[in-house]
Amino acid sequence: MNLNGKLCLSLNKYNQLLLKLAVAILLMGLAFRFLFFSSHEFFSPDLETAPAVAKSDVTEATPTDNFTIDVSAYEDQNLEPGKEPYDENEMPQEDQEEEKCDIFTGDWIPDQSGPVYTNETCAFIEGHQNCMRNGRPDSGYLYWRWKPQNCQLPPFNAEKFLNLMRNKTWALIGDSISRNHVQSLLCMLSMVEKAVEVYQDEENKSKTWQFRSYNFTLSVVWSPFLVKAAIFEDINGVSTSEVELHLDKLDKKWTEQYFNIDYMIISTGKWFLKSAIYYENDTVVGCHYCPKRNLTELGFDYAYNKTLHQVMDFIATSTHKGLIFFRTSTPDHFENGEWHNGGTCKKTTPAKQGKIEIKDLHRILRNLELAAFQDTAAKAVENGVNFKLLDFTNLLLLRPDGHPGPYRNFHPFAKDKNAAVQNDCLHWCLPGPLDAWNDVIMEMMLNT
């Protein structure tokens, strides 16, 4: 073979080699591209285009025939649909520690478990708060739970509470809202042991119960003003004369028991809106709403501010070694009138945070309460007094659905569905929103 032939043969072999190399590189590139994009799709889905869970995909719980949990409430709290709202693993522990828990700010969220007691399991519910027995037709107000901002709130543990209170005494001191609250606490504790009543006063307003297995005593002390007061009204609240208030004399009904009580919740509020004559040093100094008397109109805020500072100064300088709570006043939800002139409260679901306005009177009461507590808090710390604030105003502001309304009386529309009846938009159905107070109080006892 000549030189030209050999050269052509070499070139052909070279070209074939280059062609095979190019094909191999192309195939390797295609294989790499396929592997890369397949793995990327498998391990890193596009979060913006990931399919959202539709409401129709979520099973809606129906605790009763006439109530369905609103799934949107879960979404407002950034909870996964179908997930229990009080899953302890919902928030990582490190996040709970980093973010400050505001136990008094939050929202009411659906809780399909419902109340731990009913009017059939608890004998301590007074007639005016026994909405189930009195025929309230809706039951949705029972299926909500308080969810504080940035933290979890464990449900009240009656057995744990009673063990903590072994050989201790509790007292709730104040007006009819304190009586309302003590019934709630008794009902929840009665799921472990039923209390035995051991004392009641002549008016059946101050009472004491014992849980004998635990040697635990629970009392409610009737002192609606916390200062010395002469009240002239009947059982229905109809007054025959102005209240006489001694603003410089604390009510002995609670001060004489004060040092013998390990734990107490003290409160007042709405009674200061009543017509009253004010005394200091046993001398009349003025009044609130007394147009028929030739007295200086001082306003209820004058008397309330004086009373709050005297009460809290007494506490802060007392060197009491127990735990003392001051509870802010609770809002009512009367619409189109008040207690005495046809006011009603027909809401059947909670309000959302920021969607309901507090009434001016309630704002004034709460601002005076917060200011007085702030003025005395440092003094309490200095004297070693364990004095804490229960700021429940906002928590209950969001529950216009929780009042007895017309069902403060037994089946008010049984004879006439259009009957004109008095509504109670101040006190609270039991079971109902007031039960959440016990969750909060136990959490504060354990962790503050």
Side-chain angles (χ1 to χ4, degrees), residues 2 24 44 59 61 65 86 100 130 153 161 171 184 192 195 212 249 263 285 295 315-316 328 368 371 386 390 427 432:
N2 60 23
S44 304
T59 302
D65 291 339
Y86 282 85
K100 182 174 176 58
N130 200 334
L153 178 62
F161 182 90
S184 167
V192 175
R212 289 176 173 168
K249 296 180 180 180
Y263 297 83
V285 295
L295 295 173
I315 294 169
T328 58
L368 289 170
N386 196 0
L390 291 174
H427 300 98

Side-chain angles (χ1 to χ4, degrees), residues 148-186:
Q149 193 168 290
N150 300 330
C151 57
Q152 298 299 317
L153 178 62
F156 182 80
N157 186 322
E159 185 173 5
K160 188 173 185 178
F161 182 90
L162 286 170
N163 278 315
L164 289 170
M165 293 301 107
R166 196 176 293 276
N167 303 318
K168 301 292 185 182
T169 55
W170 259 90
L172 281 66
I173 302 165
D175 56 21
S176 57
I177 300 296
S178 293
R179 286 214 316 270
N180 205 170
H181 181 201
V182 83
Q183 295 166 47
S184 167
L185 185 55
L186 284 165

Side-chain angles (χ1 to χ4, degrees), residues 68 223 352-353:
T68 302
S223 182
K352 296 296 290 180
Q353 186 74 249

Side-chain angles (χ1 to χ4, degrees), residues 338-353:
E338 296 297 330
W339 181 285
H340 60 282
N341 59 5
T344 61
C345 41
K346 298 181 179 180
K347 298 287 194 302
T348 57
T349 56
K352 296 296 290 180
Q353 186 74 249

Side-chain angles (χ1 to χ4, degrees), residues 275-293:
S275 298
I277 299 172
Y278 301 144
Y279 292 78
E280 294 180 39
N281 295 320
D282 294 321
T283 303
V284 175
V285 295
C287 72
H288 169 57
Y289 193 65
C290 55
K292 296 180 180 180
R293 298 178 181 267

